[in-house]
Amino acid sequence: MGRHRPDPGGGGRFAFVIVAGVVLLALLAIGATAMLGLFSADGGASAEAVGGSESELSGAAASAQGHSLYIRVTGESTSLFVRVPGGDVLSDTTVHSGELLVFDQDELDVTIGDPAAVEVYVNGRLVDIADQPPDYSFTVTRRE
């Protein structure tokens, strides 16, 4: 009878498969976080849903202070495209009623599909764009 010999690389292969699985799960988690647009508050973009009570409406102007661009969706929905000029696309999505988008970059190119559906605050000040044509584009420059 012959001797039973274990596969010389068996344990190492098993460990490699486990490590590869953990790495894959970590990459999926990082990718999902990036896809959801969850960036840090300093220098990134964040979006959150809010209600429409009076206190929240008056709080919108206060919340906009200190941000280069603050957008609150007041209509049903609109398309929104925001990018750093010549650089990263920060948002290319459809936003819906009650959503907020806050951007803190020094310079931004912005295109809003339905300008009447949003309140736009640039450097903390309300900018009335409701009478602008569809797919209205403008540039934001941060002022301290």
Side-chain angles (χ1 to χ4, degrees):
M1 286 218 268
R3 286 199 262 167
H4 175 63
R5 268 186 23 193
D7 184 15
R13 287 183 191 145
F14 182 69
F16 177 75
V17 169
I18 289 175
V19 169
V22 170
V23 169
L24 178 63
L25 288 175
L27 288 174
L28 286 173
I30 292 168
T33 301
M35 290 298 292
L36 291 174
L38 301 175
F39 301 107
S40 68
D42 39 278
S46 64
E48 60 181 271
V50 297
S53 71
E54 278 301 311
S55 63
E56 288 170 338
L57 292 176
S58 63
S63 297
Q65 295 301 317
H67 300 292
S68 54
L69 179 64
Y70 180 96
I71 298 173
R72 181 174 178 276
V73 183
T74 57
E76 189 173 318
S77 66
T78 185
S79 60
L80 178 70
F81 181 80
V82 180
R83 74 177 180 100
V84 175
D88 294 334
V89 173
L90 303 177
S91 180
D92 186 7
T93 188
T94 298
V95 289
H96 302 281
S97 183
E99 287 185 76
L100 298 177
L101 290 160
V102 180
F103 301 92
D104 292 321
Q105 287 72 15
D106 292 333
E107 191 171 0
L108 298 165
D109 289 334
V110 182
T111 302
I112 299 176
D114 180 6
V118 295
E119 286 180 354
V120 175
Y121 293 82
V122 175
N123 297 310
R125 294 196 159 175
L126 179 63
V127 178
D128 185 11
I129 62 167
D131 58 346
Q132 297 298 326
D135 295 323
Y136 177 65
S137 295
F138 58 97
T139 299
V140 172
T141 302
R142 181 189 214 55
R143 292 197 173 78
E144 297 297 323

